[in-house]
Amino acid sequence: MIQQKTRISCSHWEMDEKGFGNAVYQLNLFGKDLALIAFSNHLESSQRTDRVIASSWDTSFALFDGVPSISDIERLKTQLPFQEAGRYRNTELVLSRANKSVRMFELVAQSLSEGEQPPIELINEIGYLMRTTAVYGNGKFGIDDRKNHCEHSDFSVPFQLEMLTVYLIRGFSLDLVNHVAKARNPKKFVPLDKKIQRYLGIGNATGLGMAPFLVKHPVLLNNWFQVRETALSRMINLAKLSKEKAERLIELTFRVKAFINSWNTDDDRQKKRIDILKAEWVSLKNEFTLEKLLKINSLKNIFNVSKNYSTECQELIVSLFLEVGGDLIDGLDLCLESTKSPMLHPKMRVHELADLIKKNFSWALKIDFSLKENQSRFWYVSEEKLEPRLGNRYEEEGQDLERPLDIAKRTCTLHADLESIDNDMIVAEFLIKYPEHRFIIRRIQTNAWAPYSEIHDNLIDEHCKPIDMLRCKLSFFGASKFDPKSDRWVRVNLFQGAPLKNELNDQKNDDWWMPTLEYC
Amino acid sequence: MDLSFSELKDLIFNASMGSNLPAGVCEDLSFGVTFLESRSLPGGKELLYSLKCERYPPVSPQKNGVSLVFSNSRAIFEGLSAIDLLVSEACKSVILENIDSSILLVGLASNYYGLSFSFYKNKEICAALFNDQLNWENENYKRSKDIEIRLNNSELNNPLAKRSRMLLDDNVFKELSNLASNMLVPESELSRTTGAGAGNIDND
């Protein structure tokens, strides 16, 4: 958007003094008119839950294809606040909803209405005014299919339109808090400080749905990791870092400590990880001197050193390297999309299939599924708002309705069945006898050309932590401040430090890696 | 019922799972049926019909010259196997006798993207498939009982137009939705309290 110098304008704002009403934001991106349509409604505290099973929210949104007419807005007024229970047309590209961070929204509004800026401690502690609790794209509930608009290469990057929606919601949340504060006391009101506005991102609360998504889209998962690994490889194989890049790296490292210090969570496991990261950074930051960075293979050396540190620290280093590599890696985003579908290869001999399992799925073969604890979970979809859930096989009803996320177990079962089969048989013949293996065979064959397509873990293990999968997916969206609320629920912050919607006209504003109030 | 492509694909997958079909077969059906519906062919209706048809005891295909012959075949079982065998070049053609849904076969074959299939009735070509293009010659094909499929290019050139939205008959939608709901685990207090986000206070 910065390259395009995109202008986002509020074309419609109809809000009462409490901030209830509707608004429309209009923009043109790559020649395409788009609009965010927003509704803000009163919500009783007793109704405010971020869970999928919620039925009402503080705000609801649609990304609209084109310029919406009054009748479009009127139609969506009767549908959008109901989200999944509404019905939509192909003019809608993305649906979303968000709840206020009540404490934050109220305190910011009150402070501004009294002519003061809100307390920095609270801004640092929460970091956003609203949390999105779902973002739906790709044909859900009747909205347009992704494939209808991704032919335009600028929109072909996965989740591009969803993330645009989230970015626009962030802008709306800032406008709304200013509006409410001004309405409370127009004479004393002061607008929220630009620096604070920029520091505020948009929260997101996420549950189990992201885990089945990753399993259901093996090629997409593969492509995301291929891109990440390719980008990292390009960076660490830079023989000589330019002085400009080295200086930029050093400049960025100054932000790390403050950023990590502003990362709050009540989760014990994550807290420990952050504490370790803080300690490790104290020693690792010494690698980032101009003298060291200008040596041959400096990034590779730092990368190798980081292997001795925690995963959290290793990821920090990867993120830091990628941040200065825009000219080398930005084009890779066009490879994130999944354009090749998994296809069965029925001509493959059974012994070739067995070899693939031994070579690429040894991680699965190591699991003993005769042990109760290795298959105590099952994934299912509840009748209650179609929520994806994870049950205990031995305590809950419904294991006969299990969803196929048990990749490791299916691999082991297939492997056992292959042992009694003539090695020269082809897969097509094998499937006549064992049609139940069609699903896993296609995945194993796909994995031969898409090596990152499978999560190397037992997703039905008693100790499986879905939260790790959620974080994985969210990290590709640039989510930060990972704050687990249980082993299956997480809050994150998106677009913290990103340019505001009226700051997209200047390239220098595209600088928001590890934002802190000091650097916004 | 006006549906998006993805909605229909998910609906067919879930309806097939709800009919106790193996997950891999459900994947093929979800893409295959949606392929047909997006060409204005009644894939959903054909699937429902096929699911209701009696399945004869499985019999191995018989060789007849360069062909493999499946007698008393159902598209979602023998049809799928026949297409697999054809693609694996185990034979030059497959003949499906007394097939329940000739249309569904076309949808299932469409999963082998990049290959060319020709569909014959009484030696006469009725349909041809290549990549995303489906050429359709003979309306009678829809009611054909004996079908031969070959892996070759055809000279048919009557491509069916592709729709971006799916228009599913309301009754078909209802019936598929009912089947899909077979896969949903009934609500319970235990399930609700172990769901993601349970126990959190979100008024903070």
Side-chain angles (χ1 to χ4, degrees), chain A residues 48 50 87 139 142 145 347 380 383-384 389 403 438 489 491, chain B residues 2 4-7 14 28 84 89 165 185 191-192 200 202-203:
Chain A
R48 189 175 290 104
D50 292 350
R87 190 70 198 158
D145 285 297
K347 198 178 178 180
Y380 66 92
E383 204 175 58
E384 197 176 9
R389 290 182 183 167
R403 293 281 160 158
R438 191 176 190 84
W489 189 250
R491 285 181 185 175
Chain B
D2 167 67
S4 70
F5 183 92
S6 323
E7 267 185 306
N14 291 327
D28 282 291
D84 288 345
E89 297 172 346
R165 298 293 282 189
V185 173
S191 171
R192 179 181 264 239
N200 281 336
D202 296 318
N203 279 308

PDB file of all heavy atoms in Angstrom, chain A residues 48 50 87 139 142 145 347 380 383-384 389 403 438 489 491, chain B residues 2 4-7 14 28 84 89 165 185 191-192 200 202-203:
ATOM      1  N   ARG A  48     -20.319 -10.627  26.016  1.00  0.00           N
ATOM      2  CA  ARG A  48     -19.006 -10.433  25.394  1.00  0.00           C
ATOM      3  C   ARG A  48     -18.094 -11.623  25.647  1.00  0.00           C
ATOM      4  O   ARG A  48     -17.570 -11.816  26.729  1.00  0.00           O
ATOM      5  CB  ARG A  48     -18.333  -9.142  25.885  1.00  0.00           C
ATOM      6  CG  ARG A  48     -17.074  -8.808  25.078  1.00  0.00           C
ATOM      7  CD  ARG A  48     -16.449  -7.485  25.463  1.00  0.00           C
ATOM      8  NE  ARG A  48     -17.241  -6.338  25.063  1.00  0.00           N
ATOM      9  CZ  ARG A  48     -17.987  -5.608  25.875  1.00  0.00           C
ATOM     10  NH1 ARG A  48     -18.011  -5.883  27.160  1.00  0.00           N
ATOM     11  NH2 ARG A  48     -18.683  -4.586  25.422  1.00  0.00           N
ATOM     12  N   ASP A  50     -15.019 -13.936  23.351  1.00  0.00           N
ATOM     13  CA  ASP A  50     -14.256 -14.055  22.102  1.00  0.00           C
ATOM     14  C   ASP A  50     -14.425 -15.434  21.472  1.00  0.00           C
ATOM     15  O   ASP A  50     -13.910 -15.701  20.392  1.00  0.00           O
ATOM     16  CB  ASP A  50     -12.764 -13.807  22.371  1.00  0.00           C
ATOM     17  CG  ASP A  50     -12.491 -12.357  22.769  1.00  0.00           C
ATOM     18  OD1 ASP A  50     -13.415 -11.538  22.654  1.00  0.00           O
ATOM     19  OD2 ASP A  50     -11.354 -12.059  23.178  1.00  0.00           O
ATOM     20  N   ARG A  87     -26.245 -14.214   5.718  1.00  0.00           N
ATOM     21  CA  ARG A  87     -25.974 -14.773   4.384  1.00  0.00           C
ATOM     22  C   ARG A  87     -25.424 -13.644   3.526  1.00  0.00           C
ATOM     23  O   ARG A  87     -25.922 -12.511   3.570  1.00  0.00           O
ATOM     24  CB  ARG A  87     -27.274 -15.339   3.808  1.00  0.00           C
ATOM     25  CG  ARG A  87     -27.087 -16.155   2.555  1.00  0.00           C
ATOM     26  CD  ARG A  87     -26.403 -17.469   2.832  1.00  0.00           C
ATOM     27  NE  ARG A  87     -25.872 -18.027   1.589  1.00  0.00           N
ATOM     28  CZ  ARG A  87     -24.895 -18.911   1.540  1.00  0.00           C
ATOM     29  NH1 ARG A  87     -24.341 -19.364   2.639  1.00  0.00           N
ATOM     30  NH2 ARG A  87     -24.458 -19.367   0.392  1.00  0.00           N
ATOM     31  N   GLY A 139     -15.028 -17.598   0.336  1.00  0.00           N
ATOM     32  CA  GLY A 139     -16.327 -18.233   0.064  1.00  0.00           C
ATOM     33  C   GLY A 139     -17.179 -18.546   1.273  1.00  0.00           C
ATOM     34  O   GLY A 139     -18.295 -19.052   1.117  1.00  0.00           O
ATOM     35  N   GLY A 142     -21.170 -17.666   1.823  1.00  0.00           N
ATOM     36  CA  GLY A 142     -21.650 -17.086   0.566  1.00  0.00           C
ATOM     37  C   GLY A 142     -20.805 -15.955   0.023  1.00  0.00           C
ATOM     38  O   GLY A 142     -21.075 -15.454  -1.078  1.00  0.00           O
ATOM     39  N   ASP A 145     -15.392 -16.353  -3.609  1.00  0.00           N
ATOM     40  CA  ASP A 145     -14.266 -17.280  -3.514  1.00  0.00           C
ATOM     41  C   ASP A 145     -12.964 -16.552  -3.792  1.00  0.00           C
ATOM     42  O   ASP A 145     -12.901 -15.670  -4.652  1.00  0.00           O
ATOM     43  CB  ASP A 145     -14.417 -18.404  -4.541  1.00  0.00           C
ATOM     44  CG  ASP A 145     -15.473 -19.397  -4.130  1.00  0.00           C
ATOM     45  OD1 ASP A 145     -15.300 -20.041  -3.095  1.00  0.00           O
ATOM     46  OD2 ASP A 145     -16.481 -19.505  -4.853  1.00  0.00           O
ATOM     47  N   LYS A 347      -0.047 -45.113 -10.261  1.00  0.00           N
ATOM     48  CA  LYS A 347       0.879 -46.027 -10.937  1.00  0.00           C
ATOM     49  C   LYS A 347       2.047 -46.422 -10.024  1.00  0.00           C
ATOM     50  O   LYS A 347       2.803 -47.350 -10.324  1.00  0.00           O
ATOM     51  CB  LYS A 347       1.408 -45.330 -12.196  1.00  0.00           C
ATOM     52  CG  LYS A 347       2.023 -46.254 -13.206  1.00  0.00           C
ATOM     53  CD  LYS A 347       2.471 -45.463 -14.425  1.00  0.00           C
ATOM     54  CE  LYS A 347       3.134 -46.382 -15.442  1.00  0.00           C
ATOM     55  NZ  LYS A 347       3.568 -45.633 -16.627  1.00  0.00           N
ATOM     56  N   TYR A 380     -12.780 -33.042  16.436  1.00  0.00           N
ATOM     57  CA  TYR A 380     -14.139 -33.126  15.919  1.00  0.00           C
ATOM     58  C   TYR A 380     -14.724 -31.740  15.708  1.00  0.00           C
ATOM     59  O   TYR A 380     -14.130 -30.732  16.097  1.00  0.00           O
ATOM     60  CB  TYR A 380     -15.017 -33.957  16.861  1.00  0.00           C
ATOM     61  CG  TYR A 380     -15.264 -33.340  18.224  1.00  0.00           C
ATOM     62  CD1 TYR A 380     -16.377 -32.536  18.462  1.00  0.00           C
ATOM     63  CD2 TYR A 380     -14.403 -33.587  19.293  1.00  0.00           C
ATOM     64  CE1 TYR A 380     -16.625 -31.991  19.720  1.00  0.00           C
ATOM     65  CE2 TYR A 380     -14.643 -33.043  20.550  1.00  0.00           C
ATOM     66  CZ  TYR A 380     -15.749 -32.235  20.754  1.00  0.00           C
ATOM     67  OH  TYR A 380     -15.982 -31.696  21.995  1.00  0.00           O
ATOM     68  N   GLU A 383     -21.643 -29.627  17.020  1.00  0.00           N
ATOM     69  CA  GLU A 383     -22.918 -29.131  16.492  1.00  0.00           C
ATOM     70  C   GLU A 383     -23.098 -27.661  16.874  1.00  0.00           C
ATOM     71  O   GLU A 383     -23.796 -26.917  16.215  1.00  0.00           O
ATOM     72  CB  GLU A 383     -24.004 -29.961  17.175  1.00  0.00           C
ATOM     73  CG  GLU A 383     -25.311 -30.070  16.475  1.00  0.00           C
ATOM     74  CD  GLU A 383     -26.207 -31.036  17.233  1.00  0.00           C
ATOM     75  OE1 GLU A 383     -26.477 -30.808  18.439  1.00  0.00           O
ATOM     76  OE2 GLU A 383     -26.614 -32.029  16.634  1.00  0.00           O
ATOM     77  N   GLU A 384     -22.457 -27.263  17.961  1.00  0.00           N
ATOM     78  CA  GLU A 384     -22.587 -25.912  18.480  1.00  0.00           C
ATOM     79  C   GLU A 384     -21.760 -24.941  17.645  1.00  0.00           C
ATOM     80  O   GLU A 384     -20.555 -24.818  17.791  1.00  0.00           O
ATOM     81  CB  GLU A 384     -22.107 -25.892  19.947  1.00  0.00           C
ATOM     82  CG  GLU A 384     -22.563 -24.680  20.701  1.00  0.00           C
ATOM     83  CD  GLU A 384     -22.153 -24.749  22.176  1.00  0.00           C
ATOM     84  OE1 GLU A 384     -21.382 -25.648  22.575  1.00  0.00           O
ATOM     85  OE2 GLU A 384     -22.611 -23.866  22.924  1.00  0.00           O
ATOM     86  N   ARG A 389     -13.208 -28.776  17.743  1.00  0.00           N
ATOM     87  CA  ARG A 389     -12.816 -29.047  19.129  1.00  0.00           C
ATOM     88  C   ARG A 389     -11.916 -30.274  19.209  1.00  0.00           C
ATOM     89  O   ARG A 389     -11.838 -31.072  18.273  1.00  0.00           O
ATOM     90  CB  ARG A 389     -14.065 -29.249  20.007  1.00  0.00           C
ATOM     91  CG  ARG A 389     -14.836 -27.960  20.220  1.00  0.00           C
ATOM     92  CD  ARG A 389     -16.042 -28.149  21.114  1.00  0.00           C
ATOM     93  NE  ARG A 389     -16.784 -26.876  21.219  1.00  0.00           N
ATOM     94  CZ  ARG A 389     -18.007 -26.761  21.709  1.00  0.00           C
ATOM     95  NH1 ARG A 389     -18.649 -27.841  22.153  1.00  0.00           N
ATOM     96  NH2 ARG A 389     -18.604 -25.590  21.776  1.00  0.00           N
ATOM     97  N   ARG A 403     -12.332 -36.286  12.916  1.00  0.00           N
ATOM     98  CA  ARG A 403     -11.851 -35.671  11.668  1.00  0.00           C
ATOM     99  C   ARG A 403     -10.448 -36.189  11.343  1.00  0.00           C
ATOM    100  O   ARG A 403      -9.677 -36.521  12.263  1.00  0.00           O
ATOM    101  CB  ARG A 403     -11.808 -34.151  11.829  1.00  0.00           C
ATOM    102  CG  ARG A 403     -13.173 -33.542  11.972  1.00  0.00           C
ATOM    103  CD  ARG A 403     -13.825 -33.435  10.612  1.00  0.00           C
ATOM    104  NE  ARG A 403     -15.257 -33.294  10.703  1.00  0.00           N
ATOM    105  CZ  ARG A 403     -16.006 -32.767   9.732  1.00  0.00           C
ATOM    106  NH1 ARG A 403     -15.455 -32.346   8.617  1.00  0.00           N
ATOM    107  NH2 ARG A 403     -17.301 -32.692   9.859  1.00  0.00           N
ATOM    108  N   ARG A 438      -6.724 -44.118   0.849  1.00  0.00           N
ATOM    109  CA  ARG A 438      -6.610 -43.145  -0.250  1.00  0.00           C
ATOM    110  C   ARG A 438      -6.118 -41.782   0.270  1.00  0.00           C
ATOM    111  O   ARG A 438      -5.256 -41.141  -0.325  1.00  0.00           O
ATOM    112  CB  ARG A 438      -7.979 -42.989  -0.917  1.00  0.00           C
ATOM    113  CG  ARG A 438      -7.960 -42.225  -2.208  1.00  0.00           C
ATOM    114  CD  ARG A 438      -9.337 -42.194  -2.866  1.00  0.00           C
ATOM    115  NE  ARG A 438      -9.237 -41.663  -4.197  1.00  0.00           N
ATOM    116  CZ  ARG A 438      -8.917 -42.369  -5.269  1.00  0.00           C
ATOM    117  NH1 ARG A 438      -8.703 -43.664  -5.169  1.00  0.00           N
ATOM    118  NH2 ARG A 438      -8.814 -41.795  -6.453  1.00  0.00           N
ATOM    119  N   TRP A 489      -5.873 -21.752  23.088  1.00  0.00           N
ATOM    120  CA  TRP A 489      -6.453 -20.413  22.908  1.00  0.00           C
ATOM    121  C   TRP A 489      -5.355 -19.373  23.070  1.00  0.00           C
ATOM    122  O   TRP A 489      -4.575 -19.451  24.012  1.00  0.00           O
ATOM    123  CB  TRP A 489      -7.546 -20.184  23.962  1.00  0.00           C
ATOM    124  CG  TRP A 489      -8.369 -18.948  23.775  1.00  0.00           C
ATOM    125  CD1 TRP A 489      -8.340 -17.829  24.551  1.00  0.00           C
ATOM    126  CD2 TRP A 489      -9.350 -18.713  22.781  1.00  0.00           C
ATOM    127  NE1 TRP A 489      -9.249 -16.906  24.078  1.00  0.00           N
ATOM    128  CE2 TRP A 489      -9.888 -17.427  22.987  1.00  0.00           C
ATOM    129  CE3 TRP A 489      -9.831 -19.460  21.692  1.00  0.00           C
ATOM    130  CZ2 TRP A 489     -10.871 -16.871  22.174  1.00  0.00           C
ATOM    131  CZ3 TRP A 489     -10.814 -18.909  20.892  1.00  0.00           C
ATOM    132  CH2 TRP A 489     -11.327 -17.642  21.132  1.00  0.00           C
ATOM    133  N   ARG A 491      -4.052 -15.062  22.429  1.00  0.00           N
ATOM    134  CA  ARG A 491      -4.256 -13.688  21.972  1.00  0.00           C
ATOM    135  C   ARG A 491      -2.944 -13.188  21.374  1.00  0.00           C
ATOM    136  O   ARG A 491      -1.864 -13.505  21.903  1.00  0.00           O
ATOM    137  CB  ARG A 491      -4.649 -12.779  23.136  1.00  0.00           C
ATOM    138  CG  ARG A 491      -6.071 -12.969  23.604  1.00  0.00           C
ATOM    139  CD  ARG A 491      -6.337 -11.995  24.731  1.00  0.00           C
ATOM    140  NE  ARG A 491      -7.651 -12.206  25.317  1.00  0.00           N
ATOM    141  CZ  ARG A 491      -8.079 -11.548  26.390  1.00  0.00           C
ATOM    142  NH1 ARG A 491      -7.287 -10.649  26.968  1.00  0.00           N
ATOM    143  NH2 ARG A 491      -9.271 -11.773  26.877  1.00  0.00           N
TER     144      ARG A 491
ATOM    145  N   ASP B   2     -27.842 -20.361  -3.690  1.00  0.00           N
ATOM    146  CA  ASP B   2     -26.637 -19.767  -4.267  1.00  0.00           C
ATOM    147  C   ASP B   2     -25.463 -20.000  -3.306  1.00  0.00           C
ATOM    148  O   ASP B   2     -25.515 -19.585  -2.152  1.00  0.00           O
ATOM    149  CB  ASP B   2     -26.874 -18.264  -4.467  1.00  0.00           C
ATOM    150  CG  ASP B   2     -25.608 -17.508  -4.748  1.00  0.00           C
ATOM    151  OD1 ASP B   2     -25.030 -17.743  -5.821  1.00  0.00           O
ATOM    152  OD2 ASP B   2     -25.177 -16.702  -3.898  1.00  0.00           O
ATOM    153  N   SER B   4     -21.029 -20.403  -2.775  1.00  0.00           N
ATOM    154  CA  SER B   4     -19.692 -20.185  -3.329  1.00  0.00           C
ATOM    155  C   SER B   4     -19.089 -21.554  -3.651  1.00  0.00           C
ATOM    156  O   SER B   4     -19.587 -22.585  -3.172  1.00  0.00           O
ATOM    157  CB  SER B   4     -18.810 -19.450  -2.318  1.00  0.00           C
ATOM    158  OG  SER B   4     -18.502 -20.298  -1.237  1.00  0.00           O
ATOM    159  N   PHE B   5     -18.055 -21.546  -4.442  1.00  0.00           N
ATOM    160  CA  PHE B   5     -17.349 -22.780  -4.819  1.00  0.00           C
ATOM    161  C   PHE B   5     -16.854 -23.494  -3.551  1.00  0.00           C
ATOM    162  O   PHE B   5     -17.062 -24.698  -3.385  1.00  0.00           O
ATOM    163  CB  PHE B   5     -16.170 -22.391  -5.720  1.00  0.00           C
ATOM    164  CG  PHE B   5     -15.380 -23.535  -6.265  1.00  0.00           C
ATOM    165  CD1 PHE B   5     -15.687 -24.093  -7.493  1.00  0.00           C
ATOM    166  CD2 PHE B   5     -14.304 -24.057  -5.552  1.00  0.00           C
ATOM    167  CE1 PHE B   5     -14.948 -25.157  -7.992  1.00  0.00           C
ATOM    168  CE2 PHE B   5     -13.565 -25.118  -6.040  1.00  0.00           C
ATOM    169  CZ  PHE B   5     -13.882 -25.666  -7.269  1.00  0.00           C
ATOM    170  N   SER B   6     -16.215 -22.745  -2.656  1.00  0.00           N
ATOM    171  CA  SER B   6     -15.654 -23.362  -1.439  1.00  0.00           C
ATOM    172  C   SER B   6     -16.741 -23.926  -0.535  1.00  0.00           C
ATOM    173  O   SER B   6     -16.552 -24.966   0.090  1.00  0.00           O
ATOM    174  CB  SER B   6     -14.859 -22.365  -0.616  1.00  0.00           C
ATOM    175  OG  SER B   6     -14.180 -21.500  -1.424  1.00  0.00           O
ATOM    176  N   GLU B   7     -17.849 -23.221  -0.451  1.00  0.00           N
ATOM    177  CA  GLU B   7     -18.951 -23.717   0.386  1.00  0.00           C
ATOM    178  C   GLU B   7     -19.435 -25.065  -0.119  1.00  0.00           C
ATOM    179  O   GLU B   7     -19.658 -25.991   0.666  1.00  0.00           O
ATOM    180  CB  GLU B   7     -20.133 -22.748   0.314  1.00  0.00           C
ATOM    181  CG  GLU B   7     -20.167 -21.695   1.376  1.00  0.00           C
ATOM    182  CD  GLU B   7     -21.441 -20.881   1.269  1.00  0.00           C
ATOM    183  OE1 GLU B   7     -21.715 -20.349   0.171  1.00  0.00           O
ATOM    184  OE2 GLU B   7     -22.154 -20.776   2.256  1.00  0.00           O
ATOM    185  N   ASN B  14     -18.197 -32.919   3.599  1.00  0.00           N
ATOM    186  CA  ASN B  14     -18.839 -33.291   4.866  1.00  0.00           C
ATOM    187  C   ASN B  14     -20.004 -34.257   4.653  1.00  0.00           C
ATOM    188  O   ASN B  14     -20.210 -35.170   5.451  1.00  0.00           O
ATOM    189  CB  ASN B  14     -19.303 -32.037   5.609  1.00  0.00           C
ATOM    190  CG  ASN B  14     -18.126 -31.225   6.111  1.00  0.00           C
ATOM    191  OD1 ASN B  14     -17.082 -31.780   6.461  1.00  0.00           O
ATOM    192  ND2 ASN B  14     -18.257 -29.913   6.132  1.00  0.00           N
ATOM    193  N   ASP B  28     -11.993 -36.589  -3.191  1.00  0.00           N
ATOM    194  CA  ASP B  28     -12.209 -36.674  -4.631  1.00  0.00           C
ATOM    195  C   ASP B  28     -13.615 -36.219  -5.005  1.00  0.00           C
ATOM    196  O   ASP B  28     -13.813 -35.518  -5.994  1.00  0.00           O
ATOM    197  CB  ASP B  28     -11.987 -38.114  -5.113  1.00  0.00           C
ATOM    198  CG  ASP B  28     -10.507 -38.434  -5.223  1.00  0.00           C
ATOM    199  OD1 ASP B  28      -9.846 -37.875  -6.098  1.00  0.00           O
ATOM    200  OD2 ASP B  28     -10.009 -39.217  -4.395  1.00  0.00           O
ATOM    201  N   ASP B  84      -8.539 -44.722 -11.562  1.00  0.00           N
ATOM    202  CA  ASP B  84      -7.167 -44.916 -11.049  1.00  0.00           C
ATOM    203  C   ASP B  84      -6.396 -45.888 -11.944  1.00  0.00           C
ATOM    204  O   ASP B  84      -5.229 -45.648 -12.300  1.00  0.00           O
ATOM    205  CB  ASP B  84      -7.189 -45.508  -9.627  1.00  0.00           C
ATOM    206  CG  ASP B  84      -7.653 -44.512  -8.576  1.00  0.00           C
ATOM    207  OD1 ASP B  84      -7.691 -43.314  -8.873  1.00  0.00           O
ATOM    208  OD2 ASP B  84      -7.971 -44.954  -7.454  1.00  0.00           O
ATOM    209  N   GLU B  89      -2.204 -46.653 -16.278  1.00  0.00           N
ATOM    210  CA  GLU B  89      -1.895 -47.326 -17.560  1.00  0.00           C
ATOM    211  C   GLU B  89      -1.895 -48.844 -17.414  1.00  0.00           C
ATOM    212  O   GLU B  89      -1.174 -49.546 -18.129  1.00  0.00           O
ATOM    213  CB  GLU B  89      -0.568 -46.814 -18.135  1.00  0.00           C
ATOM    214  CG  GLU B  89      -0.625 -45.327 -18.477  1.00  0.00           C
ATOM    215  CD  GLU B  89       0.719 -44.749 -18.875  1.00  0.00           C
ATOM    216  OE1 GLU B  89       1.737 -45.409 -18.647  1.00  0.00           O
ATOM    217  OE2 GLU B  89       0.725 -43.637 -19.407  1.00  0.00           O
ATOM    218  N   ARG B 165     -20.353 -18.941  -9.434  1.00  0.00           N
ATOM    219  CA  ARG B 165     -21.234 -19.237  -8.299  1.00  0.00           C
ATOM    220  C   ARG B 165     -21.995 -20.522  -8.587  1.00  0.00           C
ATOM    221  O   ARG B 165     -22.307 -20.825  -9.744  1.00  0.00           O
ATOM    222  CB  ARG B 165     -22.252 -18.110  -8.088  1.00  0.00           C
ATOM    223  CG  ARG B 165     -21.656 -16.799  -7.757  1.00  0.00           C
ATOM    224  CD  ARG B 165     -20.989 -16.763  -6.407  1.00  0.00           C
ATOM    225  NE  ARG B 165     -21.914 -16.648  -5.293  1.00  0.00           N
ATOM    226  CZ  ARG B 165     -21.510 -16.427  -4.044  1.00  0.00           C
ATOM    227  NH1 ARG B 165     -20.222 -16.308  -3.765  1.00  0.00           N
ATOM    228  NH2 ARG B 165     -22.377 -16.335  -3.066  1.00  0.00           N
ATOM    229  N   VAL B 185     -20.677 -33.515  16.197  1.00  0.00           N
ATOM    230  CA  VAL B 185     -20.814 -34.117  17.526  1.00  0.00           C
ATOM    231  C   VAL B 185     -21.834 -33.289  18.318  1.00  0.00           C
ATOM    232  O   VAL B 185     -21.709 -32.058  18.386  1.00  0.00           O
ATOM    233  CB  VAL B 185     -19.448 -34.148  18.256  1.00  0.00           C
ATOM    234  CG1 VAL B 185     -19.612 -34.613  19.694  1.00  0.00           C
ATOM    235  CG2 VAL B 185     -18.482 -35.048  17.502  1.00  0.00           C
ATOM    236  N   SER B 191     -18.285 -30.896  26.419  1.00  0.00           N
ATOM    237  CA  SER B 191     -17.684 -30.424  25.170  1.00  0.00           C
ATOM    238  C   SER B 191     -17.518 -28.906  25.202  1.00  0.00           C
ATOM    239  O   SER B 191     -16.480 -28.363  24.836  1.00  0.00           O
ATOM    240  CB  SER B 191     -18.575 -30.847  24.006  1.00  0.00           C
ATOM    241  OG  SER B 191     -18.147 -30.239  22.832  1.00  0.00           O
ATOM    242  N   ARG B 192     -18.552 -28.215  25.668  1.00  0.00           N
ATOM    243  CA  ARG B 192     -18.512 -26.753  25.700  1.00  0.00           C
ATOM    244  C   ARG B 192     -17.411 -26.243  26.640  1.00  0.00           C
ATOM    245  O   ARG B 192     -16.683 -25.310  26.317  1.00  0.00           O
ATOM    246  CB  ARG B 192     -19.871 -26.219  26.170  1.00  0.00           C
ATOM    247  CG  ARG B 192     -19.943 -24.722  26.259  1.00  0.00           C
ATOM    248  CD  ARG B 192     -21.297 -24.283  26.736  1.00  0.00           C
ATOM    249  NE  ARG B 192     -22.147 -23.937  25.607  1.00  0.00           N
ATOM    250  CZ  ARG B 192     -22.689 -22.727  25.457  1.00  0.00           C
ATOM    251  NH1 ARG B 192     -22.491 -21.789  26.329  1.00  0.00           N
ATOM    252  NH2 ARG B 192     -23.443 -22.463  24.424  1.00  0.00           N
ATOM    253  N   ASN B 200     -12.313 -18.265  29.859  1.00  0.00           N
ATOM    254  CA  ASN B 200     -11.680 -16.935  29.806  1.00  0.00           C
ATOM    255  C   ASN B 200     -12.701 -15.842  30.080  1.00  0.00           C
ATOM    256  O   ASN B 200     -13.866 -15.971  29.701  1.00  0.00           O
ATOM    257  CB  ASN B 200     -11.098 -16.675  28.411  1.00  0.00           C
ATOM    258  CG  ASN B 200      -9.782 -17.355  28.213  1.00  0.00           C
ATOM    259  OD1 ASN B 200      -9.078 -17.638  29.168  1.00  0.00           O
ATOM    260  ND2 ASN B 200      -9.447 -17.640  26.972  1.00  0.00           N
ATOM    261  N   ASP B 202     -13.566 -12.267  28.890  1.00  0.00           N
ATOM    262  CA  ASP B 202     -13.182 -11.403  27.773  1.00  0.00           C
ATOM    263  C   ASP B 202     -13.656  -9.966  27.949  1.00  0.00           C
ATOM    264  O   ASP B 202     -13.613  -9.182  27.008  1.00  0.00           O
ATOM    265  CB  ASP B 202     -13.712 -11.998  26.466  1.00  0.00           C
ATOM    266  CG  ASP B 202     -13.074 -13.343  26.179  1.00  0.00           C
ATOM    267  OD1 ASP B 202     -11.855 -13.467  26.391  1.00  0.00           O
ATOM    268  OD2 ASP B 202     -13.781 -14.273  25.759  1.00  0.00           O
ATOM    269  N   ASN B 203     -14.109  -9.650  29.163  1.00  0.00           N
ATOM    270  CA  ASN B 203     -14.506  -8.262  29.435  1.00  0.00           C
ATOM    271  C   ASN B 203     -13.337  -7.468  30.009  1.00  0.00           C
ATOM    272  O   ASN B 203     -13.531  -6.486  30.722  1.00  0.00           O
ATOM    273  CB  ASN B 203     -15.680  -8.235  30.418  1.00  0.00           C
ATOM    274  CG  ASN B 203     -16.991  -8.483  29.693  1.00  0.00           C
ATOM    275  OD1 ASN B 203     -17.293  -7.814  28.704  1.00  0.00           O
ATOM    276  ND2 ASN B 203     -17.746  -9.458  30.145  1.00  0.00           N
TER     277      ASN B 203
END
